[in-house]
Amino acid sequence: MGGFSAISAGNGWLIAALGISVVFFGLASLAFIISYFPRAIRWWNDHAQAPQHTVQLLKSLFGRRQRKAAISADSGERHKPEELDDVEEALRLITAHMSEPFKLPRLIEVAEQRGLARVHSTINRLLVREIMVGGADGLFHWTTPKDSKEGVNGETVSK
Amino acid sequence: MIPIDELKQYEILAELDPTELKILSGMAEATQAQEGEVLIRAGLPARTLFILKQGDLMVAFPDGRAITMHKPGGVVGWSALVSPTSYTASVTCLTDCTLISFSGSELLRLIQRNVAVGTKIMRKISEVLSRRLPFLQEEDKRRIKSRR
């Protein structure tokens, strides 16, 4: 006995199909695992920065009510206070992942990538109210609620 | 064309007399820009100088640092007056803006032709520059020094 009949007699076709399947599923599993690497790395990075992240979040929540009152008192409001507050909170979360002081153009770029509405005017409002301020070095940072001079309508913060 | 009375209010043109302002008045144009619009891109040929009339601007330097302007009279695009004319920073509107624009080449010709106007304008430009010097790249600083 030889050739194809020998293969059939020894279950060769079945073994070949099994081998192909094992290799196929092995590679597919590997590809699936590798596709999750970016998420796993991101999770790891977030986890490693958790204390700083939490502090930033607490800061943003802590200063929220006082600023809200000041914003509501201002006339000619173009954003609803709660909208501004939400965007501000989102911006604070973004900057929590950046080192502070941060680069303003980079913040705008990331905020736009994340789909935040009217990033430019929102940031302008935060600057005018000195909730966010620029340093002489051209970098920006958040002020603590205590430091911020709210209700300064239209005053410049340019350096 | 922009009225002389309006031009006189801006710091950069404050020292000019009515005759000089009249010349500039014919060269000036009102320009509107929307929130988020990039008015100037760093590295591109500088053809226009702007004076902020209304609105808020962000001047972003190539290394990511930035300054913001919120008061009328702020000047951007001074590179249009310093050879070789290419912008050193990008300028983005943070809100809807109204600006007074001057053609760089026309303004440069006026400055070269009229020494009195040139001196007064360049003195003000120098003040703007001295405030922004810490943000400029070494290459730009050399360019300005060679111009002086």
Side-chain angles (χ1 to χ4, degrees):
Chain A
M1 191 170 23
F4 287 122
S5 41
I7 293 170
S8 300
N11 290 327
W13 297 116
L14 188 66
I15 292 167
L18 197 66
I20 290 166
S21 304
V22 167
V23 171
F24 177 80
F25 283 110
L27 289 174
S29 307
L30 201 60
F32 183 75
I33 291 165
I34 289 170
S35 73
Y36 273 85
F37 270 23
R39 284 185 196 185
I41 291 166
R42 206 177 304 135
W43 179 85
W44 179 258
N45 285 339
D46 290 349
H47 195 69
Q49 290 174 2
Q52 191 194 350
H53 182 86
T54 311
V55 168
Q56 288 292 339
L57 186 64
L58 285 172
K59 273 186 184 175
S60 70
L61 291 173
F62 184 69
R64 187 173 173 176
R65 284 178 193 164
Q66 287 178 4
R67 275 196 292 279
K68 207 170 186 175
I71 292 162
S72 302
D74 182 27
S75 59
E77 192 70 58
R78 281 195 286 173
H79 296 265
K80 289 177 185 171
E82 58 273 17
E83 278 177 8
L84 182 64
D85 232 29
D86 290 344
V87 179
E88 181 194 334
E89 202 168 303
L91 290 171
R92 281 183 185 273
L93 287 173
I94 292 170
T95 54
H97 291 276
M98 302 158 85
S99 58
E100 201 168 325
F102 49 85
K103 294 176 174 175
L104 191 61
R106 177 69 187 144
L107 173 62
I108 291 174
E109 189 187 333
V110 174
E112 283 186 325
Q113 281 170 2
R114 301 209 176 166
L116 293 185
R118 304 198 63 185
V119 176
H120 294 86
S121 59
T122 303
I123 285 178
N124 185 61
R125 250 173 195 253
L126 296 171
L127 288 167
V128 169
R129 290 177 187 286
E130 297 189 11
I131 294 167
M132 184 192 287
V133 292
D137 56 358
L139 300 172
F140 289 73
H141 63 89
W142 296 96
T143 52
T144 58
K146 204 190 234 178
D147 297 336
S148 67
K149 295 171 189 168
E150 290 160 349
V152 188
N153 291 334
E155 283 300 313
T156 180
V157 292
S158 65
K159 303 289 173 188
Chain B
M1 187 168 170
I2 306 293
I4 293 173
D5 289 342
E6 190 186 325
L7 290 180
K8 206 164 58 179
Q9 292 169 9
Y10 301 119
E11 194 196 339
I12 187 177
L13 308 174
E15 289 179 10
L16 300 182
D17 60 41
T19 322
E20 293 163 342
L21 282 171
K22 196 176 176 185
I23 303 168
L24 281 169
S25 162
M27 293 165 55
E29 279 176 28
T31 306
Q32 303 283 336
Q34 289 183 328
E35 173 191 337
E37 192 175 326
V38 180
L39 203 64
I40 286 173
R41 281 187 199 279
L44 290 186
R47 296 200 174 100
T48 313
L49 179 130
F50 297 95
I51 299 175
L52 180 63
K53 182 180 175 183
Q54 196 179 18
D56 307 87
L57 296 172
M58 175 184 71
V59 182
F61 297 89
D63 63 357
R65 292 184 296 166
I67 54 171
T68 54
M69 297 168 70
H70 307 271
K71 278 184 175 174
V75 177
V76 289
W78 55 264
S79 304
L81 303 179
V82 182
S83 179
T85 52
S86 59
Y87 291 121
T88 55
S90 297
V91 178
T92 308
C93 297
L94 292 175
T95 53
D96 292 346
C97 289
T98 308
L99 304 112
I100 310 290
S101 64
F102 293 93
S103 156
S105 56
E106 274 186 46
L107 202 55
L108 207 53
R109 264 200 301 276
L110 174 71
I111 287 169
Q112 285 163 351
R113 239 185 7 239
N114 191 327
V115 179
V117 175
T119 308
K120 288 170 188 173
I121 292 178
M122 290 313 280
R123 191 186 300 145
K124 289 292 179 186
I125 292 284
S126 297
E127 285 174 23
V128 174
L129 270 175
S130 63
R131 286 198 292 268
R132 295 188 195 161
L133 213 55
F135 301 102
L136 300 177
Q137 308 294 301
E138 285 307 314
E139 189 186 326
D140 298 320
K141 287 180 184 173
R142 277 197 296 276
R143 197 177 108 194
I144 294 158
K145 278 178 189 166
S146 67
R147 176 75 184 172
R148 281 177 183 167

